Amino acid sequence: MAVAGPANEPTLVALGGGVHAYLQPEGGWGLNNAGIIASPAGTTLIDTAMTTARTERLRDAAASVAGGRPVRTVVNTHHHPDHTFGNSLFPQATIVAHDHCRIAAARVGDGPSRDPSIGTGPVEVRLPDLTFATLAHLFHGDEPVELRHFGNAHTLEDVVVWFPARKLLFAGDLIFSGATPLVMDGCLRGYFAVIDALRALGAETIVCGHGAISDASCFDLLERYLHFVQAVAAEAFPSGKTPLEVARATDLGEFASIAHPERLVANLHRAFSELRGEPDGAPIAPVPQLFREMGEYLGHPLEWRLSLPCAHA
Ligand SMILES: [Zn+2]
C-alpha cells in the first residue's frame, strides 16, 4: 500500500444559512467530503474524516463557523473509514446512521481497513448511537432536514442529507464527483432505483462524498458507467476469467479519462457476485486483495494521500 505525499488543503464552502461543505481535494482514496450544519442549538456534522489530524482540522472548521458551539450530532452517510474513523473525536455527540451502518462499521473496526500501511494512525472505532431504516428528520432551527435511505447502492446503508427548502443534497458516496463510482461493498443492480429516487428529489446543488460540488447532471454519467459495468460483466462472465483479467482487457471508452479507473476491478467483483445470484452485498474478495488487484491494474499500489499539508504552509 503506498502512502503518498500530502494532498491539498481542505476548503470550506458556505452554502447559506449556516450550512457548509467541507471539501478534501482532490477527493481520491480516503479524501472524503463532509458537511457542517451550524445551528443555534449546536452543530451537526455530516461525516468525519479518516485520520485524527484530518478530523481535528474538520472540527476546527466547524467551531470557526459555529462561534465555538460544540458538535452535538454526527450523521454518518455510510460505514467506510474515511467517513467514520473520526467519530471518536466527538465523544459528546450522538452518532446517527442507517441501521446497517452500525453492523458494517463494527466489522470494519477489527478488519483489514485498519491496515497501518494505509496511514490512518491509531483509530478508536466509535459506532453509531442512533440508527434508522428509511427516514429521519433533523431540525436546523425550524428547518426540517431529511436523512434518507433509498436502497442498496454504494453500500447497503447509504444515507443522504436532503434540505428540501434549499434543494441542497449531501449525497455521500452515492456520487463521486469527477471520479469512478465504487460498488465493492454495495449493490450494482440496486443502484439504478436509488439514482431514480435521487433524481426525483430535484436537487440543484449536490455535495458528493468525494470531489467538487456538483449538480443533477452528475446522475447521467453515473448511470451510464453502472450500465457499462453490468454489460462488461455479463459478456465476460461465461468465460471464467477473473475480474482483473476482464478489466485489463476492457476498453473504458468515455470513462477512461475519469479518475480511478482501477475501480473497474472491484466493481466487476461485485457484478460477478450478482451474476452468481448472490445476495446484495454478499462477501466478495477480501479488501486487501481488492486493493492489491486495483494496484496491479494501475501498475502501482493505490495512493492514500492522508497526511495534511502544514496549516500555515
Ligand atoms: Zn464510501
Side-chain angles (χ1 to χ4, degrees):
M1 210 70 67
V3 179
N8 291 330
E9 186 72 21
T11 58
L12 194 57
V13 180
L15 298 170
V19 182
H20 294 74
Y22 183 83
L23 309 178
Q24 297 197 96
E26 300 295 331
W29 291 101
L31 295 178
N32 65 304
N33 296 330
I36 302 168
I37 308 171
S39 301
T43 297
T44 297
L45 291 184
I46 303 167
D47 286 329
T48 58
M50 194 159 184
T51 67
T52 297
R54 285 189 171 274
T55 305
E56 287 172 344
R57 190 70 66 90
L58 167 62
R59 186 175 62 189
D60 291 348
S64 73
V65 300
R69 288 189 300 278
V71 172
R72 291 182 54 183
T73 310
V74 175
V75 178
N76 286 154
T77 58
H78 62 299
H79 77 275
H80 282 160
D82 43 344
H83 299 259
T84 61
F85 267 11
N87 283 356
S88 63
L89 270 71
F90 304 96
Q92 313 295 333
T94 301
I95 312 291
V96 182
H98 185 265
D99 297 332
H100 189 269
C101 183
R102 186 179 166 91
I103 297 165
R107 283 190 204 126
V108 168
D110 296 320
S113 290
R114 298 183 74 181
D115 183 341
S117 69
I118 291 177
T120 58
V123 173
E124 178 193 339
V125 171
R126 174 149 180 240
L127 302 178
D129 305 294
L130 178 63
T131 66
F132 66 97
T134 55
L135 173 63
H137 286 93
L138 175 82
F139 286 85
H140 176 37
D142 290 329
E143 179 182 353
V145 180
E146 298 174 5
L147 313 183
R148 286 188 168 273
H149 170 71
F150 288 117
N152 299 337
H154 172 67
T155 64
L156 304 190
E157 72 267 2
D158 305 297
V159 167
V160 301
V161 181
W162 168 233
F163 294 74
R166 303 160 189 259
K167 298 192 183 304
L168 167 64
L169 180 69
F170 284 79
D173 284 1
L174 287 171
I175 305 171
F176 286 80
S177 180
T180 303
L182 184 64
V183 292
M184 68 185 203
D185 290 330
C187 178
L188 185 54
R189 61 192 164 209
Y191 219 128
F192 302 98
V194 173
I195 294 171
D196 288 343
L198 293 174
R199 270 205 187 95
L201 293 174
E204 293 176 355
T205 305
I206 301 178
V207 181
C208 307
H210 295 253
I213 293 174
S214 185
D215 58 29
S217 64
C218 63
F219 296 127
D220 295 346
L221 185 68
L222 169 62
E223 203 167 43
R224 285 203 305 279
Y225 177 81
L226 297 173
H227 279 305
F228 170 78
V229 174
Q230 274 193 326
V232 169
E235 188 179 341
F237 185 66
S239 73
K241 290 180 179 164
T242 67
L244 178 58
E245 289 169 339
V246 175
R248 280 177 163 154
T250 297
D251 178 358
L252 280 166
E254 67 164 317
F255 310 110
S257 60
I258 301 173
H260 302 296
E262 71 275 13
R263 290 175 181 169
L264 177 63
V265 181
N267 293 337
L268 286 170
H269 271 276
R270 176 56 57 201
F272 282 9
S273 167
E274 294 181 8
L275 286 165
R276 289 192 294 269
E278 295 169 2
D280 289 3
I284 50 173
V287 171
Q289 179 186 333
L290 295 173
F291 286 170
R292 188 176 64 249
E293 288 185 12
M294 287 190 273
E296 287 173 20
Y297 174 91
L298 287 172
H300 58 79
L302 299 184
E303 291 187 339
W304 297 80
R305 304 171 70 87
L306 297 179
S307 57
L308 272 165
C310 172
H312 303 293

PDB file of all heavy atoms in Angstrom, residues 51-78:
ATOM      1  N   THR A  51      -8.489  10.264   9.371  1.00  0.00           N
ATOM      2  CA  THR A  51      -7.402  10.308  10.349  1.00  0.00           C
ATOM      3  C   THR A  51      -7.749  11.306  11.451  1.00  0.00           C
ATOM      4  O   THR A  51      -8.596  12.186  11.278  1.00  0.00           O
ATOM      5  CB  THR A  51      -6.083  10.755   9.703  1.00  0.00           C
ATOM      6  OG1 THR A  51      -6.212  12.131   9.296  1.00  0.00           O
ATOM      7  CG2 THR A  51      -5.733   9.911   8.479  1.00  0.00           C
ATOM      8  N   THR A  52      -7.033  11.169  12.565  1.00  0.00           N
ATOM      9  CA  THR A  52      -7.239  12.110  13.666  1.00  0.00           C
ATOM     10  C   THR A  52      -6.906  13.536  13.215  1.00  0.00           C
ATOM     11  O   THR A  52      -7.671  14.470  13.470  1.00  0.00           O
ATOM     12  CB  THR A  52      -6.360  11.707  14.860  1.00  0.00           C
ATOM     13  OG1 THR A  52      -6.780  10.419  15.306  1.00  0.00           O
ATOM     14  CG2 THR A  52      -6.479  12.701  15.992  1.00  0.00           C
ATOM     15  N   ALA A  53      -5.781  13.710  12.532  1.00  0.00           N
ATOM     16  CA  ALA A  53      -5.383  15.066  12.119  1.00  0.00           C
ATOM     17  C   ALA A  53      -6.416  15.687  11.184  1.00  0.00           C
ATOM     18  O   ALA A  53      -6.767  16.869  11.320  1.00  0.00           O
ATOM     19  CB  ALA A  53      -4.019  15.018  11.432  1.00  0.00           C
ATOM     20  N   ARG A  54      -6.916  14.903  10.265  1.00  0.00           N
ATOM     21  CA  ARG A  54      -7.915  15.450   9.334  1.00  0.00           C
ATOM     22  C   ARG A  54      -9.243  15.736  10.038  1.00  0.00           C
ATOM     23  O   ARG A  54      -9.930  16.694   9.699  1.00  0.00           O
ATOM     24  CB  ARG A  54      -8.121  14.489   8.147  1.00  0.00           C
ATOM     25  CG  ARG A  54      -6.984  14.539   7.157  1.00  0.00           C
ATOM     26  CD  ARG A  54      -7.254  13.769   5.877  1.00  0.00           C
ATOM     27  NE  ARG A  54      -6.195  14.062   4.917  1.00  0.00           N
ATOM     28  CZ  ARG A  54      -6.188  15.099   4.089  1.00  0.00           C
ATOM     29  NH1 ARG A  54      -7.221  15.930   4.067  1.00  0.00           N
ATOM     30  NH2 ARG A  54      -5.176  15.319   3.285  1.00  0.00           N
ATOM     31  N   THR A  55      -9.594  14.913  11.007  1.00  0.00           N
ATOM     32  CA  THR A  55     -10.837  15.184  11.733  1.00  0.00           C
ATOM     33  C   THR A  55     -10.667  16.389  12.658  1.00  0.00           C
ATOM     34  O   THR A  55     -11.607  17.180  12.834  1.00  0.00           O
ATOM     35  CB  THR A  55     -11.271  13.935  12.519  1.00  0.00           C
ATOM     36  OG1 THR A  55     -11.378  12.825  11.614  1.00  0.00           O
ATOM     37  CG2 THR A  55     -12.620  14.145  13.185  1.00  0.00           C
ATOM     38  N   GLU A  56      -9.482  16.553  13.245  1.00  0.00           N
ATOM     39  CA  GLU A  56      -9.239  17.761  14.058  1.00  0.00           C
ATOM     40  C   GLU A  56      -9.357  19.022  13.203  1.00  0.00           C
ATOM     41  O   GLU A  56      -9.893  20.041  13.645  1.00  0.00           O
ATOM     42  CB  GLU A  56      -7.862  17.685  14.718  1.00  0.00           C
ATOM     43  CG  GLU A  56      -7.817  16.679  15.856  1.00  0.00           C
ATOM     44  CD  GLU A  56      -6.420  16.444  16.403  1.00  0.00           C
ATOM     45  OE1 GLU A  56      -5.424  16.826  15.722  1.00  0.00           O
ATOM     46  OE2 GLU A  56      -6.312  15.862  17.495  1.00  0.00           O
ATOM     47  N   ARG A  57      -8.884  18.933  11.978  1.00  0.00           N
ATOM     48  CA  ARG A  57      -8.991  20.092  11.072  1.00  0.00           C
ATOM     49  C   ARG A  57     -10.467  20.377  10.763  1.00  0.00           C
ATOM     50  O   ARG A  57     -10.896  21.533  10.736  1.00  0.00           O
ATOM     51  CB  ARG A  57      -8.195  19.804   9.789  1.00  0.00           C
ATOM     52  CG  ARG A  57      -8.000  20.985   8.856  1.00  0.00           C
ATOM     53  CD  ARG A  57      -7.052  22.039   9.399  1.00  0.00           C
ATOM     54  NE  ARG A  57      -5.686  21.549   9.526  1.00  0.00           N
ATOM     55  CZ  ARG A  57      -4.756  21.618   8.575  1.00  0.00           C
ATOM     56  NH1 ARG A  57      -5.049  22.175   7.420  1.00  0.00           N
ATOM     57  NH2 ARG A  57      -3.541  21.165   8.774  1.00  0.00           N
ATOM     58  N   LEU A  58     -11.227  19.323  10.552  1.00  0.00           N
ATOM     59  CA  LEU A  58     -12.669  19.477  10.327  1.00  0.00           C
ATOM     60  C   LEU A  58     -13.352  20.052  11.572  1.00  0.00           C
ATOM     61  O   LEU A  58     -14.201  20.955  11.477  1.00  0.00           O
ATOM     62  CB  LEU A  58     -13.268  18.104   9.969  1.00  0.00           C
ATOM     63  CG  LEU A  58     -14.795  17.969   9.983  1.00  0.00           C
ATOM     64  CD1 LEU A  58     -15.438  18.897   8.956  1.00  0.00           C
ATOM     65  CD2 LEU A  58     -15.203  16.503   9.704  1.00  0.00           C
ATOM     66  N   ARG A  59     -12.973  19.554  12.733  1.00  0.00           N
ATOM     67  CA  ARG A  59     -13.558  20.043  13.990  1.00  0.00           C
ATOM     68  C   ARG A  59     -13.251  21.541  14.173  1.00  0.00           C
ATOM     69  O   ARG A  59     -14.127  22.311  14.587  1.00  0.00           O
ATOM     70  CB  ARG A  59     -13.001  19.233  15.160  1.00  0.00           C
ATOM     71  CG  ARG A  59     -13.644  19.541  16.501  1.00  0.00           C
ATOM     72  CD  ARG A  59     -13.119  18.618  17.585  1.00  0.00           C
ATOM     73  NE  ARG A  59     -11.678  18.789  17.778  1.00  0.00           N
ATOM     74  CZ  ARG A  59     -10.925  17.995  18.544  1.00  0.00           C
ATOM     75  NH1 ARG A  59     -11.479  16.986  19.198  1.00  0.00           N
ATOM     76  NH2 ARG A  59      -9.636  18.212  18.667  1.00  0.00           N
ATOM     77  N   ASP A  60     -12.036  21.949  13.837  1.00  0.00           N
ATOM     78  CA  ASP A  60     -11.679  23.373  13.937  1.00  0.00           C
ATOM     79  C   ASP A  60     -12.529  24.206  12.976  1.00  0.00           C
ATOM     80  O   ASP A  60     -12.973  25.304  13.322  1.00  0.00           O
ATOM     81  CB  ASP A  60     -10.195  23.577  13.614  1.00  0.00           C
ATOM     82  CG  ASP A  60      -9.288  22.989  14.690  1.00  0.00           C
ATOM     83  OD1 ASP A  60      -9.800  22.645  15.777  1.00  0.00           O
ATOM     84  OD2 ASP A  60      -8.075  22.853  14.423  1.00  0.00           O
ATOM     85  N   ALA A  61     -12.724  23.684  11.785  1.00  0.00           N
ATOM     86  CA  ALA A  61     -13.528  24.412  10.797  1.00  0.00           C
ATOM     87  C   ALA A  61     -14.973  24.557  11.278  1.00  0.00           C
ATOM     88  O   ALA A  61     -15.600  25.619  11.143  1.00  0.00           O
ATOM     89  CB  ALA A  61     -13.491  23.686   9.450  1.00  0.00           C
ATOM     90  N   ALA A  62     -15.487  23.481  11.875  1.00  0.00           N
ATOM     91  CA  ALA A  62     -16.861  23.524  12.386  1.00  0.00           C
ATOM     92  C   ALA A  62     -16.980  24.545  13.509  1.00  0.00           C
ATOM     93  O   ALA A  62     -17.943  25.322  13.569  1.00  0.00           O
ATOM     94  CB  ALA A  62     -17.274  22.131  12.869  1.00  0.00           C
ATOM     95  N   ALA A  63     -15.984  24.568  14.395  1.00  0.00           N
ATOM     96  CA  ALA A  63     -16.023  25.530  15.506  1.00  0.00           C
ATOM     97  C   ALA A  63     -15.938  26.958  14.980  1.00  0.00           C
ATOM     98  O   ALA A  63     -16.601  27.876  15.486  1.00  0.00           O
ATOM     99  CB  ALA A  63     -14.874  25.241  16.473  1.00  0.00           C
ATOM    100  N   SER A  64     -15.165  27.148  13.926  1.00  0.00           N
ATOM    101  CA  SER A  64     -14.975  28.512  13.393  1.00  0.00           C
ATOM    102  C   SER A  64     -16.254  29.072  12.795  1.00  0.00           C
ATOM    103  O   SER A  64     -16.495  30.275  12.866  1.00  0.00           O
ATOM    104  CB  SER A  64     -13.842  28.530  12.367  1.00  0.00           C
ATOM    105  OG  SER A  64     -14.259  27.918  11.157  1.00  0.00           O
ATOM    106  N   VAL A  65     -17.080  28.224  12.195  1.00  0.00           N
ATOM    107  CA  VAL A  65     -18.319  28.735  11.586  1.00  0.00           C
ATOM    108  C   VAL A  65     -19.490  28.702  12.559  1.00  0.00           C
ATOM    109  O   VAL A  65     -20.565  29.213  12.254  1.00  0.00           O
ATOM    110  CB  VAL A  65     -18.703  27.973  10.294  1.00  0.00           C
ATOM    111  CG1 VAL A  65     -17.593  28.104   9.263  1.00  0.00           C
ATOM    112  CG2 VAL A  65     -19.030  26.515  10.574  1.00  0.00           C
ATOM    113  N   ALA A  66     -19.277  28.104  13.732  1.00  0.00           N
ATOM    114  CA  ALA A  66     -20.375  27.960  14.700  1.00  0.00           C
ATOM    115  C   ALA A  66     -20.120  28.765  15.971  1.00  0.00           C
ATOM    116  O   ALA A  66     -20.751  28.508  16.998  1.00  0.00           O
ATOM    117  CB  ALA A  66     -20.570  26.486  15.047  1.00  0.00           C
ATOM    118  N   GLY A  67     -19.195  29.711  15.884  1.00  0.00           N
ATOM    119  CA  GLY A  67     -18.928  30.543  17.058  1.00  0.00           C
ATOM    120  C   GLY A  67     -18.475  29.719  18.249  1.00  0.00           C
ATOM    121  O   GLY A  67     -18.731  30.087  19.395  1.00  0.00           O
ATOM    122  N   GLY A  68     -17.794  28.597  17.982  1.00  0.00           N
ATOM    123  CA  GLY A  68     -17.263  27.772  19.063  1.00  0.00           C
ATOM    124  C   GLY A  68     -18.263  26.806  19.659  1.00  0.00           C
ATOM    125  O   GLY A  68     -17.923  26.031  20.554  1.00  0.00           O
ATOM    126  N   ARG A  69     -19.522  26.847  19.188  1.00  0.00           N
ATOM    127  CA  ARG A  69     -20.512  25.903  19.731  1.00  0.00           C
ATOM    128  C   ARG A  69     -20.099  24.468  19.375  1.00  0.00           C
ATOM    129  O   ARG A  69     -19.574  24.231  18.286  1.00  0.00           O
ATOM    130  CB  ARG A  69     -21.915  26.212  19.192  1.00  0.00           C
ATOM    131  CG  ARG A  69     -22.534  27.480  19.779  1.00  0.00           C
ATOM    132  CD  ARG A  69     -24.002  27.609  19.385  1.00  0.00           C
ATOM    133  NE  ARG A  69     -24.208  27.678  17.960  1.00  0.00           N
ATOM    134  CZ  ARG A  69     -24.088  28.786  17.208  1.00  0.00           C
ATOM    135  NH1 ARG A  69     -23.765  29.921  17.784  1.00  0.00           N
ATOM    136  NH2 ARG A  69     -24.291  28.761  15.918  1.00  0.00           N
ATOM    137  N   PRO A  70     -20.362  23.525  20.272  1.00  0.00           N
ATOM    138  CA  PRO A  70     -19.845  22.168  20.049  1.00  0.00           C
ATOM    139  C   PRO A  70     -20.651  21.394  19.015  1.00  0.00           C
ATOM    140  O   PRO A  70     -21.789  21.743  18.694  1.00  0.00           O
ATOM    141  CB  PRO A  70     -20.004  21.513  21.428  1.00  0.00           C
ATOM    142  CG  PRO A  70     -21.144  22.250  22.054  1.00  0.00           C
ATOM    143  CD  PRO A  70     -21.066  23.663  21.554  1.00  0.00           C
ATOM    144  N   VAL A  71     -20.043  20.338  18.536  1.00  0.00           N
ATOM    145  CA  VAL A  71     -20.732  19.389  17.661  1.00  0.00           C
ATOM    146  C   VAL A  71     -21.604  18.489  18.543  1.00  0.00           C
ATOM    147  O   VAL A  71     -21.114  17.817  19.436  1.00  0.00           O
ATOM    148  CB  VAL A  71     -19.718  18.541  16.864  1.00  0.00           C
ATOM    149  CG1 VAL A  71     -20.418  17.429  16.110  1.00  0.00           C
ATOM    150  CG2 VAL A  71     -18.924  19.434  15.921  1.00  0.00           C
ATOM    151  N   ARG A  72     -22.894  18.517  18.276  1.00  0.00           N
ATOM    152  CA  ARG A  72     -23.824  17.712  19.084  1.00  0.00           C
ATOM    153  C   ARG A  72     -24.292  16.459  18.355  1.00  0.00           C
ATOM    154  O   ARG A  72     -24.745  15.509  18.994  1.00  0.00           O
ATOM    155  CB  ARG A  72     -25.053  18.552  19.464  1.00  0.00           C
ATOM    156  CG  ARG A  72     -24.707  19.646  20.455  1.00  0.00           C
ATOM    157  CD  ARG A  72     -25.923  20.439  20.852  1.00  0.00           C
ATOM    158  NE  ARG A  72     -27.009  19.598  21.348  1.00  0.00           N
ATOM    159  CZ  ARG A  72     -28.210  20.063  21.698  1.00  0.00           C
ATOM    160  NH1 ARG A  72     -28.460  21.361  21.598  1.00  0.00           N
ATOM    161  NH2 ARG A  72     -29.137  19.262  22.133  1.00  0.00           N
ATOM    162  N   THR A  73     -24.234  16.496  17.029  1.00  0.00           N
ATOM    163  CA  THR A  73     -24.715  15.361  16.237  1.00  0.00           C
ATOM    164  C   THR A  73     -23.746  15.113  15.087  1.00  0.00           C
ATOM    165  O   THR A  73     -23.248  16.068  14.477  1.00  0.00           O
ATOM    166  CB  THR A  73     -26.110  15.666  15.645  1.00  0.00           C
ATOM    167  OG1 THR A  73     -26.970  16.132  16.683  1.00  0.00           O
ATOM    168  CG2 THR A  73     -26.728  14.440  14.988  1.00  0.00           C
ATOM    169  N   VAL A  74     -23.491  13.849  14.810  1.00  0.00           N
ATOM    170  CA  VAL A  74     -22.726  13.471  13.619  1.00  0.00           C
ATOM    171  C   VAL A  74     -23.581  12.481  12.830  1.00  0.00           C
ATOM    172  O   VAL A  74     -24.013  11.463  13.381  1.00  0.00           O
ATOM    173  CB  VAL A  74     -21.377  12.810  13.971  1.00  0.00           C
ATOM    174  CG1 VAL A  74     -20.670  12.323  12.702  1.00  0.00           C
ATOM    175  CG2 VAL A  74     -20.481  13.768  14.746  1.00  0.00           C
ATOM    176  N   VAL A  75     -23.830  12.787  11.578  1.00  0.00           N
ATOM    177  CA  VAL A  75     -24.513  11.849  10.688  1.00  0.00           C
ATOM    178  C   VAL A  75     -23.454  11.113   9.880  1.00  0.00           C
ATOM    179  O   VAL A  75     -22.626  11.756   9.230  1.00  0.00           O
ATOM    180  CB  VAL A  75     -25.479  12.582   9.730  1.00  0.00           C
ATOM    181  CG1 VAL A  75     -26.138  11.589   8.772  1.00  0.00           C
ATOM    182  CG2 VAL A  75     -26.524  13.370  10.500  1.00  0.00           C
ATOM    183  N   ASN A  76     -23.441   9.801   9.946  1.00  0.00           N
ATOM    184  CA  ASN A  76     -22.553   9.007   9.080  1.00  0.00           C
ATOM    185  C   ASN A  76     -23.349   8.596   7.846  1.00  0.00           C
ATOM    186  O   ASN A  76     -24.355   7.885   7.959  1.00  0.00           O
ATOM    187  CB  ASN A  76     -22.051   7.750   9.787  1.00  0.00           C
ATOM    188  CG  ASN A  76     -20.988   8.015  10.851  1.00  0.00           C
ATOM    189  OD1 ASN A  76     -20.848   7.248  11.787  1.00  0.00           O
ATOM    190  ND2 ASN A  76     -20.233   9.088  10.725  1.00  0.00           N
ATOM    191  N   THR A  77     -22.885   8.993   6.665  1.00  0.00           N
ATOM    192  CA  THR A  77     -23.605   8.621   5.448  1.00  0.00           C
ATOM    193  C   THR A  77     -23.478   7.126   5.136  1.00  0.00           C
ATOM    194  O   THR A  77     -24.336   6.561   4.463  1.00  0.00           O
ATOM    195  CB  THR A  77     -23.107   9.418   4.232  1.00  0.00           C
ATOM    196  OG1 THR A  77     -21.699   9.180   4.062  1.00  0.00           O
ATOM    197  CG2 THR A  77     -23.373  10.910   4.406  1.00  0.00           C
ATOM    198  N   HIS A  78     -22.386   6.502   5.587  1.00  0.00           N
ATOM    199  CA  HIS A  78     -22.191   5.052   5.461  1.00  0.00           C
ATOM    200  C   HIS A  78     -20.958   4.692   6.274  1.00  0.00           C
ATOM    201  O   HIS A  78     -20.331   5.568   6.866  1.00  0.00           O
ATOM    202  CB  HIS A  78     -22.066   4.630   3.993  1.00  0.00           C
ATOM    203  CG  HIS A  78     -20.899   5.211   3.259  1.00  0.00           C
ATOM    204  ND1 HIS A  78     -20.725   6.571   3.079  1.00  0.00           N
ATOM    205  CD2 HIS A  78     -19.813   4.626   2.666  1.00  0.00           C
ATOM    206  CE1 HIS A  78     -19.615   6.777   2.393  1.00  0.00           C
ATOM    207  NE2 HIS A  78     -19.043   5.626   2.144  1.00  0.00           N
TER     208      HIS A  78
END
